[in-house]
Amino acid sequence: MPGETNIVLVGAGPTGLLLAGDLAAAGLDVTVLERRADESNLTRAFAVHARTLELLDMRGVAGELLATGTKVPLLRLPGGARLDLSRLPGHFPYVLITPQYETERVLTDRALAAGARIEYGTRVTGLRQDDDGVTVYAAGRDGPARGRRAAYVVGADGAHSTVRDALGLPFPGRAAVRSVMLADVRLTDPPGDVLAVGAARGAFGFLAPFGDGRHRAIAWNDDADLDDDVPVDVDDLRATLRRALGTDHGLHDPSWTSRFHSDERQVPRYRVHRVFLAGDAAHVHSPVGGQGMNVGLQDAANLSWRLVAAARGDTGLLDGYQRERHPVGRAVLLGSGAMLRGARLRAAPLRAARDALLRAVTGTPPLARRVARAVSGIGIAYDAPRGSHRLTGRRAPDVALDGPPGRLFAALREGRFVLVVAADDPAVTYLATRLWAGRVHCAVAGAATRTTALVRPDGYVAWATDATAPEHRAAEIRAALTRWCGPPVHVRPAA
Ligand SMILES: Cc1cc2nc3c(=O)[nH]c(=O)nc-3n(C[C@H](O)[C@H](O)[C@H](O)COP(=O)(O)OP(=O)(O)OC[C@H]3O[C@@H](n4cnc5c(N)ncnc54)[C@H](O)[C@@H]3O)c2cc1C
C-alpha cells in the first residue's frame, strides 16, 4: 500500500528520537511526525544521569554527548548535605550537565543516519486503530489532515499528548508547582562545579553549571501565583535565590528566561492494543531530581526492542513494557513529589528535621549509595519470576568480553540480545549463530565466571544460569533463547 509505514512515532523530543534511532537501526521503516517546524533549541532538561549515559554508550553516542557538557560528581543539597555520585558503578560516576537540545541533536543525527524520516511541521490530530494496524491523521504544512497506516504507533508527544487523548485515556494527578522561574545567567561568584540546591522560608533555588561560563537557575517562591506568560523579573529571581540559598551568587546577564508550572500525573495504561505511550506523554512530575527526560529515554530503550520483535511477528514481549515501566514511572513520581514537598516545608523545626535527615542519609555510606543509585537510574531493576537466577531483571554491568568488540555495551550497539557464555562451547555458538542468527550476538566472558547470561538489548539481564554441565546448560540456553528471541529458524540439514 503506497505511503504505508511500519512504525509511526509522534513527537521528535528526546523519547521519540531515541526510539526512532533504535527502530531504524533494526531495519524498520520509521516515520516521526513532529508539529514543530524545525529542530528544537529548547533547554528544559539539563541533567543526564549515569544510567542514561550507559544507554547512550550502548548506542555509540555517549562520547559525543559528553563532549558538550560538564560532569558533576557531587550534588549539594539543603542543610549542608552532599550526595556523592563519584562511587557509582560503571563508566559514568557523575551527572552530565548539558542542554536538552544537545541530547536531541545527538539523537536526531543518529536517527537520520539510521534511516528514520522526521517530518517537521506535521501535527497529529487523531488516530483510529483496527486489528491490522493504525491510521494516524496528521496535518502538514501544505495541506489538511490525511491518514497514514502504521503497524504500531508510539505517542512520544509530551505532556499534552494528542495520542493519549485519542486513546481516551485519563491523565490523573494534580498540580505540583506554579510560577517557577527559569533563567540562563552568569554568576560573579559561582558555587563551583557542583549543583547547588537550597530550600528555605517558602523559596526554592537551584543552580547548575553549563560549563560555558553560564549557569541554569531555577527558582520559585511559594507565595507567587503567576501565569506562565508573565515575564521573569530578574530582581525577583535574585531575591528568591537569596532566600533559598543564602546568596544570589552575583547573578547577572540573563540570556534567556521563562516561567512554567508542572503537574504530577501518570497515565494508567502505557499500551492500548497497537498504540503505546512513552516519556512525558505517559508521566509528568516536577523537575526536582532532574528525572523526566531520563525516564523517557529509558522508556524508549525498554520499548524499542519489543517493537522490533513484534515487527518480526513475536508480539509476546509487548506487554512487558507496561509491566516494567509503569512502576518505574510511579516511583519517579513519588520520589520527585517527596523531594518537592520536602523543599517546600515552611516551619523552621520541620526544615531543620529535613536537613538533619538529609545529612544523616548522605553521611551513611550504604544509604547514600542507595540514594545515588536511585537518582542516577543505575539502581533500576525489573521484577523477575520466582526461582530466577539472582541477576535476572538487573542492570548488566559493562563486562569485558573475550574477542571483539571487547566489552558488553559495545556488543549491544548491534541492537540484539547478547549471550555472554562462561567458556567457548561450539554447541552454544551453533545455537546463537545458526538457529537464532541475526537475533543474538554470542560472546565469551573476558574474566573467569561460572555464569552464562542472556542480556537484553536494553542492557538488563533476561536470564542467567550457573549450570556447568554442558547438556543441561545448552537445554537451558535453548529455552531462554526461545522465550526471549522467538522460535529458532529451521536449518536445513546439509545434503
Ligand atoms: C524546567 C525544566 C527542567 C527540567 N530538567 C530536567 C532535567 O534536568 N533532567 C530530566 O531528565 N528532565 C528534565 N525535565 C523534563 C524534560 O524536559 C522532559 O521530561 C522531556 O522533555 C520529555 O521528553 P519527551 O520526548 O517525552 O517529550 P517532549 O520533550 O515534550 O517532546 C514531545 C514532542 O512532541 C511534539 N508534539 C506534541 N504534540 C504533537 C502533535 N500533536 N503532533 C506532532 N508532534 C507533537 C512536541 O512538539 C515535542 O517536540 C525538565 C523539565 C522542565 C520544565
Side-chain angles (χ1 to χ4, degrees), residues 8-19 32-34 153-159 161-164 275-282 296 300 303:
V8 165
L9 308 176
V10 186
T15 305
L17 291 168
L18 188 127
L19 262 167
V32 186
L33 305 177
E34 167 56 57
V153 171
V154 182
D157 51 344
S161 170
T162 304
V163 174
R164 189 182 62 230
V275 182
F276 297 79
L277 293 168
D280 275 17
L303 180 57

Side-chain angles (χ1 to χ4, degrees), residues 174-177 199 220 222 264 286 288 333-346 351 354:
R174 57 181 167 170
V177 57
W220 79 77
D222 273 346
E264 292 171 355
S286 88
V288 177
L333 241 77
L334 290 174
S336 153
M339 283 190 255
L340 178 67
R341 280 175 268 291
R344 300 182 94 166
L345 291 174
R346 292 199 84 131
R351 286 205 324 263
R354 172 200 68 196

Side-chain angles (χ1 to χ4, degrees), residues 15 34-36 44-47 100 124 162 280 290 292-294:
T15 305
E34 167 56 57
R35 76 175 167 200
R36 269 184 287 112
R44 285 192 292 165
F46 46 81
Q100 178 164 335
V124 169
T162 304
D280 275 17
M293 180 180 74
N294 289 274

Side-chain angles (χ1 to χ4, degrees), residues 54-102:
E54 292 193 332
L55 296 179
L56 297 178
D57 188 13
M58 292 168 204
R59 289 157 177 80
V61 293
E64 195 183 338
L65 190 65
L66 286 174
T68 67
T70 306
K71 299 168 186 169
V72 176
L74 191 68
L75 311 187
R76 200 187 285 174
L77 305 174
R82 286 163 171 250
L83 183 64
D84 183 7
L85 302 175
S86 70
R87 290 170 195 279
L88 281 171
H91 305 303
F92 310 104
Y94 42 77
V95 52
L96 178 74
I97 303 302
T98 190
Q100 178 164 335
Y101 61 75
E102 292 288 6

